[in-house]
Amino acid sequence: MKGPAIFLAQFAGLKPEFSKLAPIADWVASLGYVGVQIPTWEKGFIDLARAAESQDYCDELKGMLAERGLAISELSTHLQGQLVAVHPAYDHQVDVFAPEELRGKPAERTEWAVSQLTLAAKASRRLGLKAHASFSGALLWHAFYPWPQRPAGLVEEGFAELGKRWKPILDAFDEAGVDLCYELHPGEDLHDGVTFERFLAAVGDHPRANILYDPSHMVLQHMDYLAFIDHYHQRIRAFHVKDAELRQDGRSGVYGGFQSWVDRPGRFRSLGDGQIDFTALFSKLAQHDYPGWAVLEWECCLKHPKTAPPRVRPSSRST
Amino acid sequence: MKGPAIFLAQFAGLKPEFSKLAPIADWVASLGYVGVQIPTWEKGFIDLARAAESQDYCDELKGMLAERGLAISELSTHLQGQLVAVHPAYDHQVDVFAPEELRGKPAERTEWAVSQLTLAAKASRRLGLKAHASFSGALLWHAFYPWPQRPAGLVEEGFAELGKRWKPILDAFDEAGVDLCYELHPGEDLHDGVTFERFLAAVGDHPRANILYDPSHMVLQHMDYLAFIDHYHQRIRAFHVKDAELRQDGRSGVYGGFQSWVDRPGRFRSLGDGQIDFTALFSKLAQHDYPGWAVLEWECCLKHPKTAPPRVRPSSRST
Amino acid sequence: MKGPAIFLAQFAGLKPEFSKLAPIADWVASLGYVGVQIPTWEKGFIDLARAAESQDYCDELKGMLAERGLAISELSTHLQGQLVAVHPAYDHQVDVFAPEELRGKPAERTEWAVSQLTLAAKASRRLGLKAHASFSGALLWHAFYPWPQRPAGLVEEGFAELGKRWKPILDAFDEAGVDLCYELHPGEDLHDGVTFERFLAAVGDHPRANILYDPSHMVLQHMDYLAFIDHYHQRIRAFHVKDAELRQDGRSGVYGGFQSWVDRPGRFRSLGDGQIDFTALFSKLAQHDYPGWAVLEWECCLKHPKTAPPRVRPSSRST
Amino acid sequence: MKGPAIFLAQFAGLKPEFSKLAPIADWVASLGYVGVQIPTWEKGFIDLARAAESQDYCDELKGMLAERGLAISELSTHLQGQLVAVHPAYDHQVDVFAPEELRGKPAERTEWAVSQLTLAAKASRRLGLKAHASFSGALLWHAFYPWPQRPAGLVEEGFAELGKRWKPILDAFDEAGVDLCYELHPGEDLHDGVTFERFLAAVGDHPRANILYDPSHMVLQHMDYLAFIDHYHQRIRAFHVKDAELRQDGRSGVYGGFQSWVDRPGRFRSLGDGQIDFTALFSKLAQHDYPGWAVLEWECCLKHPKTAPPRVRPSSRST
Amino acid sequence: MKGPAIFLAQFAGLKPEFSKLAPIADWVASLGYVGVQIPTWEKGFIDLARAAESQDYCDELKGMLAERGLAISELSTHLQGQLVAVHPAYDHQVDVFAPEELRGKPAERTEWAVSQLTLAAKASRRLGLKAHASFSGALLWHAFYPWPQRPAGLVEEGFAELGKRWKPILDAFDEAGVDLCYELHPGEDLHDGVTFERFLAAVGDHPRANILYDPSHMVLQHMDYLAFIDHYHQRIRAFHVKDAELRQDGRSGVYGGFQSWVDRPGRFRSLGDGQIDFTALFSKLAQHDYPGWAVLEWECCLKHPKTAPPRVRPSSRST
Amino acid sequence: MKGPAIFLAQFAGLKPEFSKLAPIADWVASLGYVGVQIPTWEKGFIDLARAAESQDYCDELKGMLAERGLAISELSTHLQGQLVAVHPAYDHQVDVFAPEELRGKPAERTEWAVSQLTLAAKASRRLGLKAHASFSGALLWHAFYPWPQRPAGLVEEGFAELGKRWKPILDAFDEAGVDLCYELHPGEDLHDGVTFERFLAAVGDHPRANILYDPSHMVLQHMDYLAFIDHYHQRIRAFHVKDAELRQDGRSGVYGGFQSWVDRPGRFRSLGDGQIDFTALFSKLAQHDYPGWAVLEWECCLKHPKTAPPRVRPSSRST
């Protein structure tokens, strides 16, 4: 296992200078991290189109980070992946992820999203990366609960369509020699092991269709995040170190009553403040020889981002 | 507490003759039940419009049941209540609850739903009932998860609209001297205590806005169904005795991965086969002098309805 | 193990005719019990002085019960035992247990209590009983919590005095061939295993100083009532089958905030409604060859005494 | 939240020079603390009467501490508060808290206690403090258990009297602009949430009647110390960081069998050695914007006070 | 699922007449059972050699049982199966399972055991049975713990030999159309899922190599007997309904300290007295459409066999 | 309690120079340890025969360690103790513990083992030690499970023989003034409290027969390792600080299915990675005034020995 890396998405813009990669890299290096997961929608961090085409640009980027003792763990296209498949009920909510000129034009938005993913495959190859992080998007999420009853065949159709859209993208990643890792996440059609299996079936067990394992989303689904590793370890190729808690409450439950994060029974926490047994979790990954990076993703309903990412002890670094 | 009654919805049509009220009443009386909760969309059970207007019809209906040792616990308008508020994403799924001529016409469907509820208020008064069972419908359910982020104000607007639609209905129930009890249920905007509080605020703490307490839906939300009673006992006026279980699993969680009931980690069970501690639950309701009926709602992913409703011991009857 | 018997104290006077032993014996026999534990302060049930002296009276009493299929499990002097040792802070509260002419006269009250116990020893012998049930009284109970700090030596003095008072009574029971069983109970100096050990030391390990084991009082003290049996089984000679629950609560705890029983976090419950694992408990007693009676003591904060004592299944009777 | 402060009571006299405030302040400052809670009965720490009257004295005191990087979190009158209400059964035990000349004179002792509290109100104002720490005393504690049965009305009378005595003191604190925070503690009439509510009712919901929240006393009462915060956070204005454990045992329970601390099933522990989940607890207080100090109170049945108070990490200081 | 049947082994000889099949069949039929699992080493119950060869004998046997409302669930060769593979350390202990003339002659004993199994295959076919119950025997059991260290290759060799011995037997069962179900049991090389997998590999995934699932042995191994069903349901073809408990103890653990059953922390219990959640277990088997019999195996360290087998309620019979 | 020491067995030969005591002593001293437990079968660490006879040799050894800030906690004869009693089934497996010339000669091997223990007693005295660490060996371990049934009397005979062999050794240790501490360990006849009690009875409650308490072996036996201290603290004279975990699993249990350590449900872990509550454990030992050493024994199925032994914080050293 390599790491620790840190996902930069939550810190972009935390300070004005954090709109650029170099200053934020200085900061996380000073905290002891040895890798960064780069959100490709942050234009100040990376120019995705250019990275897909220019080896020089990529070498420069890697060099700049290497000077600071940092490697790239993975590129991320979470926001673009979300747009690959959108049910109309969420059209408005996700439009902000697309370039302004494409908002209100779902079909063109999808096309753009697909092209972004293809660029990410190429850029990842030029950067020498082995894995990529994204979301699956959702055609069926609104219908996860069996009430009101779903029309027969709806789920089957949905996954068939999802597979159809992602198949060419997966092929592009295969060509680039990079694993495409879906973060299993509520709001996406791929949000647990079972939906990942449905998707695998829909893309013919594509070898590049893999998992970004983030235990926090499993805690919030009341899943057994340790048994998950036993079931799916062969497809886990990326990993978010993120803590969470789900506390039983008499007023609200897993759906949260439309409350804000701090008031929901299930909520994200700074590392060590939640309920996840990371000792057991790292033991499982070590036992199964997990080959990828451990990437801290920080998101906390109580602490401030400036003070939250833990300083890394020298003894726990490995690359 | 009065009871046990039994909700007839799941048994309508179980045998051909169960499309009529008298034969099904014979059956449940033979099992020892002393009350029935009547689904008003089953035209063979009750003619709602007629019951709203004719005292004779109502007296006859009550008499027929009384001859069998049965009382009506509540009328139910779950399906019609669902139609009072529908987000377009679910239009197709709920259209089957409306009369055929209204399908595909959301506005008229809503109007019809409101009128059904008003009839139910009147019918309940004529039948001498104290409480009524329904669903709130949903404008916001698709957006319960905070990802993708909701536009600011969406929840506030949703509940304002929901309140606007239900306020006149609640007034009709007030006029009839009947409590309108919303079954807190996933798929409805009113699905937990917090959303009930939001609704209460939107209808000015209307005294007729009350709760149908069904612990099974709380188990499936990983809520503390006992603490719920401590918080909301003053508004609990109807009660479904229904069992459920939510078992931690490494492949799926509360969202269920679009699986069928039998394979979901959370599922309904026959009374006694699930995880609900009914001894503690009845103790709580007794401690708070719950005045209404205990109504068995049977739904089980493993057993057959013919054999499932438990035979009632004479000692546990009370009216 | 013999039983089931039933403790009559809670049912005395439940109906007017229940002030006499024969009618109440008819009732409990009809419920299937095969033994009764008799509260000796109920003059309508037994004349203790006469029973201590007249074998005829005792034979008659036994005969009357035998006709109904009942045996006496033990006599009880709980109230008189309480008066053997009283701290002045409780003088007023316990005066009602004494004959009217002794109220307000603590010294004479104690003397009377001691004489009552002596009579009970003799009566038990004439009735052919092996065990007797009582309370230890309390000189130190008010000082159980270490704050404010107790003067050094207070506890040692208290138990020395307690031992001094009970020693002659224990000798009387030894002469009668009867075990004196102290119900370990809050409010008494003997309320757990440790205080029983202190007392044993104070009475020179008197072989007649034994325990009435009632797990309900251990649940309310958050004790391990099963491990208790492992520690003390050799001294357990009487047994109350009584259920209880202690539920964690955010507003109150084991001290109960001066609330009534129904509102306290710890409260007595009808058999089967509490938290006691009677299967495990009976297994332990069977494993250690407990030789005495199983005596149901009913006290419930929610159910009515008329309906509460469970009807006994024929298969579970043993004498 | 401000802190960490440390309560000095347990360290007074630990070394000879610790009878004075300056040396002990040096020590706790060297350990990293930024506040002190001062026991006002330690004459070497503070002259309460003088502080009540002289602004110069107070400014000097604050200055001396400020030089060491310390602020006062609160003054404490635990011992004097205990004497505001004393049941005669405890007269002897608490007499040591009073000046020698008042021992054996309960009425004058009470008067003195009330005057001490009034001084503390004034001194707190001069020192610029917002909160004060004390005990309620006890008229009813000996009767917390419902056996032997309490005379009807006893509890009502007791709280009426308690309210009568504290009302003028609360008014004095109101005048001083200081919250009077009762540490909820066994041995005091105010020992849980329910008794605090009874007291609030008795003093007309006095805005200055508040809570010193110490979770250790709730663990020893088997209370849910997290749910307590949900119920009472609006009245929590002071906070003791103190750890404890309550382990189930077969020989003794919550009453402890008159054993010493180390042998009781419930006992205080050094921070981190007990059962309290401080991560969850601090999260709750943060979520409710607790405005006061976090004050370490150290008391441990196993470790020595010299080595026990934890050294504070710079990152966890806040004032 | 069919049943309930009952395993006759523990009741053979309980009364003198219970050495014959008809009287014991009368008894279990009177208790409500509808099937019997027959121990083939009880010569009074069945003549195995004759049953293997004579269809008339088999028809008569079935007819005699059918008259009593009973079917045969399975034949059992537990004792003979044990002798198929024996490590010399246990030679003496298992010799009693063999005919007297073969004791002390391990090689001939093995040969006899193999021939018994072959007869059982044939007899099962003649009796129209689908499954058979046995033990695997043990070559490696003494070496289950990794201390002292096992020579490299020992386990591999052991399972290879075990597979070699059982392969022809499995073929005989295949010819007979009967599943050979190994009861996974301590003392046998096949004692959990992992060892069953090793064995399957050694017999080339033989389709007749199946499992007799008995959850009691998993409780005593501290295994998750519910998850076991998820892993192996496709190979479960026989099922013992047997209860057990494993209670943590400070003096002994899973190895039991050479104590007798009643004193071991892990011990068998009468149905309902142990820790097994049969509701969840039957739900799992039903969910996976388990096609075989539910066979009560009674063995209890506390209750007497005469009174122990539970009387069957009519509603729970199914054939 | 003294410590921390570290058991050297697992590190012998980790680097080439670690075949000698001085270099390994340098290393553990640099990690902060203050004591070493020395495996006497490592000839590079100690010459046992010479130490038994030469005071000079012993003084030199102690001096060399003292220069490095180290003391000897205990000598260990685990391997030799194993050979004091060997059941033939394990002859081959344990032969490697004996000198080459004795392999295949069980009787002479036993004789040698006994003489080794006697040397260890003498050497311990010369080194000024108070305790010694060993294994009991095993005559009965293969028969710990009650199936197949053990011949009557087998256990009694086995312990009688074991006692006979160890009695003279215990006497030699008594002469040396040293406690012989058996590590209770699977694979040995002395593997839990009950077997230790059996052994004590067999050696006439010999005062030198004591316990090396290692909680990891109790976790793997599903024992209550805290209650163990309550039962046996008077005989605990040595202590291994070793962590472990036992996780419930659906495929395997406490017997482990002949899997390697990393795959077994029960496995040893680096300190802090397992399930042992060392805070509670150290509290218990402190409460009972445990007089010996805390000796870290490191063995981990996942981490590498070079990085595994934790660096000791200065504050936790005590000698």
Side-chain angles (χ1 to χ4, degrees), chain E residues 219-239:
Chain E
V219 165
L220 266 54
Q221 292 182 61
H222 195 55
M223 279 179 68
D224 183 337
Y225 57 87
L226 293 175
F228 181 92
I229 299 176
D230 290 333
H231 286 299
Y232 300 106
H233 58 89
Q234 290 176 319
R235 293 274 177 172
I236 297 174
R237 303 287 166 86
F239 166 31

Side-chain angles (χ1 to χ4, degrees), chain E residues 82 90 93 142 144 147-148 188 192-194 197-198 221-224 228 249-252 254 257-258, chain F residues 82 90 93 142 144 147-148 188 192-194 197-198 221-224 228 248-252 254 257-258:
Chain E
Q82 181 83 46
Y90 304 93
Q93 281 170 254
H142 68 290
F144 80 89
W147 177 262
E188 314 299 317
D192 62 7
V194 166
E197 291 179 41
R198 289 185 188 275
Q221 292 182 61
H222 195 55
M223 279 179 68
D224 183 337
F228 181 92
D249 181 279
R251 297 175 63 244
S252 189
V254 293
F258 305 110
Chain F
Q82 182 83 49
Y90 303 93
Q93 281 170 252
H142 67 289
F144 80 89
W147 176 262
E188 313 299 317
D192 62 7
V194 165
E197 291 178 41
R198 289 183 187 276
Q221 293 183 60
H222 195 56
M223 278 179 69
D224 183 336
F228 181 92
Q248 266 203 331
D249 181 278
R251 296 176 62 244
S252 189
V254 293
F258 304 109

Side-chain angles (χ1 to χ4, degrees), chain D residues 28-92:
Chain D
V28 301
S30 79
L31 292 172
Y33 292 88
V34 298
V36 288
Q37 187 178 75
I38 299 180
T40 60
W41 60 87
E42 294 289 343
K43 300 204 177 316
F45 288 179
I46 189 169
D47 179 332
L48 190 58
R50 207 169 145 202
E53 278 168 33
S54 159
Q55 189 61 40
D56 283 358
Y57 175 79
C58 286
D59 292 347
E60 224 169 90
L61 192 74
K62 284 174 61 178
M64 183 273 279
L65 291 168
E67 277 169 30
R68 288 154 174 86
L70 294 169
I72 301 173
S73 61
E74 304 92 359
L75 299 182
S76 139
T77 54
H78 283 88
L79 300 194
Q80 301 100 314
Q82 181 84 47
L83 297 177
V84 169
V86 179
H87 182 274
Y90 303 93
D91 258 346
H92 181 59

